[in-house]
Amino acid sequence: MRDNLCKQTLFFYFRQVNILKHVGAYFLMIRLVFIKPTKRSIMYGLVMKEIQDLILGSLGIVCFLSFFVGGVVSIQTALNIDSTFIPENLVGFATRQSIILEFAPTFMAIILAGKVGSYITSSIGTMRVTEQIDALEVMGINSVNFLVFPKLLAMTLLPIVIIFSMFLGIFGGWAATIYGGFSSSASFIEGIQLEFNSFHVFYAFVKTFLFAIILATIPSYHGYYMKGGALDVGRASTVSFVWCSVVIIVVNYFITQLFFS
Amino acid sequence: MIQIKDIHKEFDNTPILKGITTEFKRGKTNLVIGQSGSGKTVLLKILLGLFTPNKGEIYFDGIPFSSMTDDEHRTLRREIGMVFQGSALFDSMSVIENVLFPMRMLTKLSEAERIEQAETVIERVNLIDAKNKLPNEISGGMQKRVAIARAVVMRPKYLFCDEPNSGLDPKTAIVIDNLIQELTKEYNITTVINSHDMNSVMEIGETIVFLKNGTKEWEGSNQNIFKTDNEAVTDFVYSSNLFKKVRKLYLED
Ligand SMILES: Nc1ncnc2c1ncn2[C@@H]1O[C@H](COP(=O)(O)OP(=O)(O)O)[C@@H](O)[C@H]1O
Ligand SMILES: [Mg+2]
């Protein structure tokens, strides 16, 4: 019994040490992103390519999902209001608030942890297992800067994607409301203009920016330091998705606490 | 010329290289042979500076690696060409872009000069028709030749090849071996080649170091490797059934 307890304590201790080791290695990697930069002319091309892959490549799925999520939010709100004391424009108001505060920034960041995150981990991880990273290092190139910096810079454009998500989410809410006959177009539009607080939008963009940094760097870390062969690339992508989502949710909690209390 | 003295390397307290001393000569194809897991790749990565040895020193044309300044390390990097085991071509770039890459990253030449130099080398490895193809559109042997072209395009003083003909058919393997040897002579390079292939040993083994479990078991050339009575070496040399049969017939005669 005591032996068992001892073992569990030790196990817990080693898990913690392990996580601390990873956190340390992660921040050392972040430092490497910014030192010994790659030539400007080359970096320009790399950044353009990442904008294409990570940002433009995500717009379609984000817009599509936002439209339907917005629709569901407005339907749920409308169906849960029975009382005649509650004004009809609440549907528009609630849809706008949920979309701007959480669905567009946080929900979409989780979706992108799957799409962008696993793409980053598998593309860097493949370069690791096929020794392409070694090839860069042998040429005297700072491979962390070469691989991670363009992704980080491209991801700082994530707020643009989230603007699209906000507009399409609210538009989806409007469409579902009209289509389902829950309220009139006029009162929905009145609702989305009700007590508009630009601080909420600011809060949404601050956290989107933080999520963008998380989405670029955590998957890069998992790809860059992975060991093994092609099969392990898949495993690394999964682990990276889990960690990305966990960190996004936790950061979301703390930043909300910080902004609203 | 590269001299290594008493190189030790361990990972997680497990010794992998246990004191290796030898010399790789200029203008020659120097082979490091041994079974898989004997430490060949680790030794090569130490020469490349990707791993630091726990003990020992490497001399590049007489200059000890550990005494070089950062600037000298950088210069040395540019004088080293490397052919990785799996070619390690950048798979988003075409053949010519792969060869141009080190020049674009490291030189101040004009783009026209770079392209001219790249095309010369691509022509030298017989790939000019495939220069705009992507790595996954060409065969393994062609990929190896691109990797060689990329390694020598900066005219290195030192060329390292990790099992350059693994995964290739015997004929293509010999083409690759010969190409490396010809370039070694043409550009007067100090070439170090990891191999476990007896064909390479016979074809290009001008000097041979035999590694076993991280120690240097034997040293010589393809002239005397068949005559030695070192058991570990004969075990390795005659590990293929074909060689065993040939030897048996030879002894029976
Ligand atoms: N980065 C590393 N970390 C830990 N062990 C390693 C590492 N690289 C190689 N090894 C170990 O070193 C030994 C020799 O490997 P290697 O040099 O790749 O052999 P070879 O190239 O001769 O087939 C192997 O047992 C391998 O597991
Ligand atoms: Mg090896």
Side-chain angles (χ1 to χ4, degrees), chain B residues 96 100 103 110-121:
Chain B
I96 189 159
L100 281 168
M103 287 192 289
S110 74
E111 190 64 9
E113 287 170 310
R114 287 179 190 144
I115 289 175
E116 194 195 312
Q117 211 164 317
E119 288 191 337
T120 313
V121 180

Side-chain angles (χ1 to χ4, degrees), chain A residues 36-39 41-43 46 49 123 126-128 130-142 146, chain B residues 41 45 48 50 77 80 82 84-86 88-93 101-108 114 150 162:
Chain A
K36 248 182 82 191
T38 308
K39 262 186 177 176
S41 55
I42 304 244
M43 190 48 86
L46 293 174
K49 191 179 164 296
S123 68
T126 304
M127 291 188 74
R128 168 60 77 197
T130 58
E131 296 183 305
Q132 291 177 53
I133 292 182
D134 287 333
L136 288 170
E137 287 292 320
V138 165
M139 291 175 201
I141 293 161
N142 175 357
F146 184 86
Chain B
T41 302
K45 290 197 171 169
L48 284 166
L50 291 178
R77 279 262 161 89
I80 293 177
M82 172 75 195
F84 287 91
Q85 188 162 356
L89 299 178
F90 302 117
D91 36 33
S92 57
M93 300 181 197
F101 185 79
M103 287 192 289
R104 283 188 176 151
M105 293 301 287
L106 305 169
T107 68
K108 293 202 167 70
R114 287 179 190 144
R150 185 177 69 182
D162 196 3

Side-chain angles (χ1 to χ4, degrees), chain A residues 23 31 34 57 98 108 153 160 168 177 202 207 242 244 248:
Chain A
V23 171
R31 199 180 80 89
F34 296 102
S98 332
M108 288 306 140
L153 207 61
I160 296 177
L168 270 134
T177 308
F202 173 69
K207 67 182 193 181
V242 171
C244 250
I248 284 171

Side-chain angles (χ1 to χ4, degrees), chain A residues 227, chain B residues 9-12 14-17 32-45 51 85 162-163 194-196 211 213-214:
Chain A
K227 290 201 174 85
Chain B
K9 177 71 189 173
E10 47 186 60
F11 289 111
D12 311 318
T14 313
I16 301 292
L17 297 179
V32 177
I33 61 171
Q35 277 175 9
S36 169
S38 55
K40 304 182 297 290
T41 302
V42 171
L43 180 64
L44 211 56
K45 290 197 171 169
F51 293 150
Q85 188 162 356
D162 196 3
E163 313 221 1
N194 277 354
S195 179
H196 60 219
L211 290 191
N213 296 331

